[in-house]
């Protein structure tokens, strides 16, 4: 599907960064959720931020999106030092965020959600017809057709909701779109749809920050990769300097994965056992000790 | 996995709903059905209910509940409760009466000061809620008791009794009474001014909720406040304004009570906060916020008024009123839930 995602330097000859984080950190009391993060986001590029649960990805986007303020370092938006006090400020500067939980109110209709916070008005009243029309058109451009704009968003599928949230961000003039694990809750096909929109947004000249813990998704569309671990950047590389295997390896924690595979070699993943009744307490803890008697394959790897 | 639609072709799983289903999925549908059933019931069993002149009386009872209920409904759609509304009405009436009488002011000064105080109570509730993050149920339960105590104690201090002094000899009484407690006739039906306010405010708040930007913010704030904040909705300001809205409604009803009877009993109003909430819930408001109807809450108040008077018109023991209301509350909620599920499923 993608594969065209090779470097596209034509889009950003200016070499200036839309968004720059310099040594940014965030501590809550004596807990350092994020330390010394450097990220550069250009327009027309997809910057992938990868990391396991708890690596600090959420904290990072919340800082960029204006929900939290960083406690160390400097954030620059279009070269200007910035600290956002609210999501509204971030939006006003062209930074839109599509959250994991989508930031859509499930009981509200499609058009109300689409224009939430950016309502179109005629005098004091909302221009409902216009908003329905625009929401319908924008969604159609994204490839989903919802005949009834009054449907509550909660009754749509996860992929459709994701696309509404993305369409909304793009429509309201974002220059940088942050996508917080947009594919995490989606099936294979719907993930593909979302990935296509990421490419579309890049081609439209937007800067995309794609947060994910799936290196395969990231490598399909990313131009630049940052891996976070325990609140620090452990890898910061351009697409040219990296293969998918390396990315996957780094993401899975390189060394840790090697250790894990070493440990798990004992379990013989090809093996099946005939089903029989399991008495309470007969499944012990997974610490490899005496190789559980009846199976022969496991004791040689113990050491 | 579901078969995802191919891009650009329509998703045939989401189809347009019929007009009937759209009607049935409206939040207020249970209230409408309930109102028709109640009206039919008392129409059949209570001769006085059929007397056209009594329409004015019924609407009057509905209006004093309804004015509060629609603001309470708006607050509930915004995701919060206000338990202090019942005593806040009395508080407002007492404030105007005591201030005007004690300082021998023009009653209009008392009226305006009462407005300021009522809005301040609402603002205080909202502020406390916003800064502490406590559930609004708790915050307003606290202010309920605080206000109740103030009502009793201050009245005792000012008048030595349990009711405010009469203020009908003060300047401005006539004009204030004309604004808050006048009445007029349409044919043989006597209409109190509160009925007019009730209708006007229902229309105004309904428009506010469904057709203004602020209404969109209320729905979003109640539906998912984190989501609302994330897209830039000023959630705290929205909630603050909603609490001040119930303060305003308490003032309006309080002023009516004062100028209708020209004195206010300091122990009044306790328990009414639940009637307002019941009216809002019968009208389709979800306790969890984000969903509901202003017209529904008004119809909920109509149901309350019809029931209250219908029971006495039918010659039944009025002691049963609350039992009746309780049954109706559960019934209406179940109907709302059932009908909505059916309509959404289709």
């Amino acid at each position: 599907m993608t594969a065209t995602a090779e470097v596209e330097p034509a889009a950003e000859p200016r070499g200036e960064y839309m968004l720059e984080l310099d040594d940014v950190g965030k501590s809550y009391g004596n807990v350092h959720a994020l330390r010394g993060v450097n990220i550069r986001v250009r327009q027309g590029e997809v910057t992938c931020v990868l990391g396991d649960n708890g690596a600090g990805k959420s904290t990072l986007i919340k800082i960029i999106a204006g929900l939290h303020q960083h406690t160390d370092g400097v954030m620059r938006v279009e070269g200007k030092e910035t600290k956002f006090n609210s999501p509204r400020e971030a939006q006003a500067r062209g930074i839109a965020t599509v959250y994991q939980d989508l930031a859509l109110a499930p009981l509200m209709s499609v058009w109300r959600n689409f224009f939430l916070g950016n309502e179109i008005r005629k005098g004091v009243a909302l221009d409902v017809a216009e908003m329905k029309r625009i929401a319908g058109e924008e969604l159609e451009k994204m490839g989903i057709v919802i005949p009834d704009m009054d449907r509550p968003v909660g009754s749509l599928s996860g992929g459709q909701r994701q696309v509404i949230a993305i369409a909304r961000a793009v429509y309201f003039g974002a220059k940088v779109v942050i996508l917080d694990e947009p594919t995490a809750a989606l099936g294979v096909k719907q993930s593909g749809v979302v990935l296509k929109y990421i490419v579309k947004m890049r081609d439209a000249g937007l800067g995309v920050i794609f947060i994910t813990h799936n290196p395969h998704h990231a490598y399909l569309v990313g131009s630049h990769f940052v891996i976070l671990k325990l609140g620090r950047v452990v890898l910061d590389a351009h697409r040219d300097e990296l293969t998918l295997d390396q990315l996957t390896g780094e993401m899975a924690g390189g060394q840790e994965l090697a250790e894990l595979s070493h440990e798990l070699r004992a379990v013989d993943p090809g093996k099946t056992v005939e089903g029989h009744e399991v008495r309470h307490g007969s499944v012990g803890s997974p610490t490899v000790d005496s190789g559980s008697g009846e199976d022969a394959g496991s004791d040689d790897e113990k050491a | 996995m579901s078969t995802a639609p191919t891009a650009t072709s329509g998703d045939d799983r989401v189809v347009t709903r019929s007009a009937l289903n759209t009607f049935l999925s409206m939040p207020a549908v249970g209230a409408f059905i309930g109102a028709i059933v109640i009206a039919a019931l008392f129409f059949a069993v209570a001769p006085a209910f059929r007397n056209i002149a009594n329409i004015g009386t019924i609407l009057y009872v509905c209006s004093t509940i309804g004015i509060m209920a629609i603001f309470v409904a708006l607050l509930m759609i915004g995701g919060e409760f206000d338990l202090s509304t019942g005593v806040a009405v009395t508080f407002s009436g007492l404030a105007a009466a005591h201030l005007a009488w004690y300082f021998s002011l023009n009653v209009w000064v008392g009226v305006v000061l009462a407005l300021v105080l009522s809005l301040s109570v609402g603002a205080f509730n909202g502020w406390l809620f916003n800064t502490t993050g406590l559930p609004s149920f708790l915050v307003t339960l606290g202010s309920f008791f605080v206000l109740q105590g103030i009502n009793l104690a201050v009245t005792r201090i000012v008048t030595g009794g349990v009711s405010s002094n009469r203020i009908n000899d003060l300047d401005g009484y006539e004009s204030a009474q004309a604004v808050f407690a006048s009445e007029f006739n349409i044919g043989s039906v006597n209409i109190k001014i509160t009925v007019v306010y009730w209708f006007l405010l229902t229309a105004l708040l309904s428009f506010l909720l469904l057709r203004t930007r602020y209404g969109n913010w209320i729905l979003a704030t109640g539906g998912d406040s984190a989501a609302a904040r994330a897209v830039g909705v000023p959630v705290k300001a929205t909630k603050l304004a909603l609490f001040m809205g119930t303060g305003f409604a308490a003032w309006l009803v309080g002023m009516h009570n004062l100028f209708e009877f020209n004195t206010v009993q300091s122990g009044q109003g306790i328990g009414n906060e639940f009637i307002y909430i019941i009216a809002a819930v019968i009208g389709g408001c979800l306790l969890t916020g984000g969903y509901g109807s202003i017209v529904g809450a008004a119809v909920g108040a109509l149901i309350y008024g019809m029931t209250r008077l219908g029971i006495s018109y039918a010659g039944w023991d009025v002691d049963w009123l609350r039992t009746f209301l309780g049954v109706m509350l559960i019934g209406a909620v179940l109907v709302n839930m059932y009908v909505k599920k059916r309509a959404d499923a289709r």
Side-chain angles (χ1 to χ4, degrees):
Chain A
M1 147 193 137
T2 50
T4 57
E6 270 311 322
V7 221
E8 284 203 338
E12 21 82 37
R14 297 150 291 155
E16 68 195 23
Y17 298 108
M18 175 62 203
L19 178 74
E20 259 176 294
L21 300 188
D22 247 347
D23 213 19
V24 163
K26 166 84 183 169
S27 4
Y28 303 91
N30 55 2
V31 178
H32 302 288
L34 211 60
R35 288 171 291 188
V37 172
N38 296 293
I39 291 180
R40 308 266 175 275
V41 178
R42 283 195 189 90
Q43 288 188 269
E45 245 189 35
V46 180
T47 306
C48 296
V49 177
L50 297 105
D52 208 348
N53 295 338
K57 302 188 302 269
S58 301
T59 310
L60 178 65
I61 37 172
K62 280 176 179 163
I63 290 170
I64 304 175
L67 279 165
H68 290 339
Q69 284 84 46
H70 50 283
T71 45
D72 307 297
V74 179
M75 174 163 74
R76 282 187 215 93
V77 178
E78 292 178 294
K80 256 178 67 184
E81 199 173 324
T82 305
K83 207 172 228 187
F84 294 128
N85 291 310
S86 73
R88 231 192 156 83
E89 278 178 33
Q91 277 176 18
R93 298 286 295 276
I95 297 176
T97 311
V98 177
Y99 291 94
Q100 199 168 10
D101 46 16
L102 302 172
L104 299 174
L107 290 168
M108 285 170 80
S109 62
V110 174
W111 66 269
R112 280 186 188 276
N113 265 297
F114 193 94
F115 283 94
L116 184 56
N118 295 292
E119 295 83 358
I120 299 177
R121 292 184 297 176
K122 227 197 256 166
V124 283
L126 296 178
D127 192 346
V128 178
E130 179 74 357
M131 285 193 278
K132 280 186 186 175
R133 187 184 64 75
I134 293 174
E137 279 177 14
E138 291 301 313
L139 291 177
E140 212 160 318
K141 276 188 215 162
M142 290 291 214
I144 61 170
V145 180
I146 300 168
D148 185 358
M149 282 288 139
D150 280 318
R151 280 243 161 216
V153 156
S155 70
L156 303 175
S157 75
Q160 287 174 323
R161 276 182 276 174
Q162 197 76 57
V163 173
I164 291 174
I166 293 175
R168 177 172 70 178
V170 173
Y171 179 73
F172 289 108
K175 295 176 195 155
V176 174
V177 178
I178 306 167
L179 299 165
D180 179 13
E181 308 218 0
T183 56
L186 299 183
V188 177
K189 205 155 186 179
Q190 291 187 325
S191 295
V193 173
V194 170
L195 292 175
K196 276 187 219 161
Y197 290 124
I198 292 178
V199 177
K200 255 190 188 177
M201 284 191 279
R202 180 203 63 199
D203 292 346
L206 300 178
V208 181
I209 303 179
F210 176 25
I211 317 267
T212 180
H213 54 229
N214 187 330
H216 300 275
H217 286 168
Y219 202 76
L220 281 173
V221 295
S223 355
H224 202 91
F225 304 92
V226 174
I227 296 183
L228 288 178
K229 190 188 279 177
L230 298 176
R232 288 184 197 280
V233 173
V234 293
L235 174 104
D236 182 355
H238 199 266
R239 187 181 185 83
D240 307 341
E241 313 158 4
L242 207 63
T243 66
L244 175 58
D245 284 341
Q246 281 170 324
L247 185 67
T248 315
E250 284 292 338
M251 172 59 198
Q255 180 66 24
E256 284 161 43
L257 186 69
E259 280 166 21
L260 186 65
S261 78
H262 182 73
E263 274 173 35
L264 286 182
R265 215 161 352 135
V267 301
D268 185 10
K271 186 177 86 170
T272 52
V273 175
E274 201 180 322
H276 50 77
E277 209 156 290
V278 178
R279 279 192 322 281
H280 178 73
S282 65
V283 179
S285 75
T287 45
V288 220
D289 47 12
S290 69
S292 74
E294 58 193 328
D295 64 43
S298 73
D299 33 43
D300 55 4
E301 193 36 272
K302 197 216 129 186
Chain B
M1 228 229 79
S2 63
T3 54
T6 49
T8 69
S9 86
D11 185 347
D12 58 353
R13 290 172 304 170
V14 182
V15 293
T16 322
R17 284 183 291 187
S18 70
L20 178 67
N21 274 316
T22 306
F23 167 74
L24 287 179
S25 65
M26 283 188 346
V29 66
F32 279 118
I33 295 170
I36 291 166
V37 170
I38 298 289
L41 171 71
F42 287 117
F43 209 79
V45 301
F49 201 84
R50 295 194 283 266
N51 182 352
I52 197 133
N54 280 334
I55 288 178
T57 318
I58 295 171
L59 286 180
Y60 171 56
V61 170
C62 300
S63 69
T64 53
I65 295 297
I67 290 173
M68 282 300 318
I70 52 178
F71 280 91
V72 168
L74 202 62
L75 177 67
M76 284 178 68
I77 295 168
E80 303 307 329
F81 281 105
D82 191 347
L83 295 182
S84 69
T85 46
V87 291
V89 170
T90 309
F91 172 79
S92 198
L94 286 172
H98 291 332
L99 287 165
W101 181 83
Y102 194 80
F103 298 106
S104 296
L105 302 168
N106 185 308
V107 292
W108 278 106
V109 178
V111 167
V112 170
L113 290 175
L115 175 61
V116 172
L117 283 173
S118 285
L119 291 177
S120 309
V121 169
F124 177 77
N125 281 337
W127 171 81
L128 198 61
F129 168 78
N130 279 335
T131 47
T132 61
L134 288 172
S136 54
F137 191 93
L138 270 186
V139 168
T140 58
L141 185 63
S143 47
F144 170 17
F145 277 74
V146 169
L147 287 181
Q148 193 187 346
I150 290 176
N151 286 351
L152 295 172
V154 172
T155 304
R156 180 82 66 192
I157 292 166
V158 173
T159 70
V162 293
S163 62
S164 68
N165 289 314
R166 297 188 168 271
I167 55 164
N168 51 358
D169 50 351
L170 293 174
D171 291 342
Y173 184 82
E174 313 275 290
S175 57
Q177 191 178 36
V179 171
F180 294 110
S182 58
E183 54 192 50
F184 57 90
N185 286 313
I186 299 176
S188 59
V189 182
N190 177 271
I191 302 285
K192 299 264 191 194
I193 191 100
T194 47
V195 176
V196 177
Y197 290 150
W198 177 40
F199 285 167
L200 283 179
L201 287 171
T202 300
L204 188 74
L205 290 197
S206 217
F207 177 81
L208 179 82
L209 178 66
L210 297 175
R211 285 293 175 269
T212 68
R213 161 190 288 193
Y214 182 64
N216 216 28
W217 292 356
I218 294 173
L219 286 166
T221 303
D224 188 340
S225 66
R229 178 161 185 258
V231 294
V233 172
V235 169
K236 289 189 172 185
T238 302
K239 294 208 173 181
L240 186 74
L242 289 174
F243 279 108
M244 290 177 74
T246 61
F248 168 80
W251 168 79
L252 185 58
V253 178
M255 290 309 102
H256 169 74
N257 288 348
L258 175 61
F259 291 104
E260 178 75 10
F261 306 108
N262 105 57
T263 174
V264 180
Q265 305 295 318
S266 60
Q268 263 176 3
I270 298 163
N272 279 356
E273 60 281 344
F274 289 116
I275 308 248
Y276 307 141
I277 292 175
I278 285 175
V281 171
I282 287 178
C285 290
L286 283 185
L287 291 189
T288 43
Y291 188 79
S293 156
I294 300 301
V295 173
V299 176
L302 183 69
I303 290 178
Y304 170 80
M306 289 195 300
T307 311
R308 186 167 130 193
L309 289 172
I311 286 178
S312 64
Y313 288 162
W316 301 345
D317 193 334
V318 184
D319 292 346
W320 290 104
L321 170 64
R322 299 231 155 175
T323 307
F324 214 93
L325 281 179
V327 171
M328 217 137 50
L329 172 68
I330 305 294
V333 173
L334 290 178
V335 170
N336 278 341
M337 212 171 71
Y338 175 76
V339 172
K340 199 178 152 350
K341 214 178 240 171
R342 291 293 299 267
D344 282 350
R346 181 65 297 262

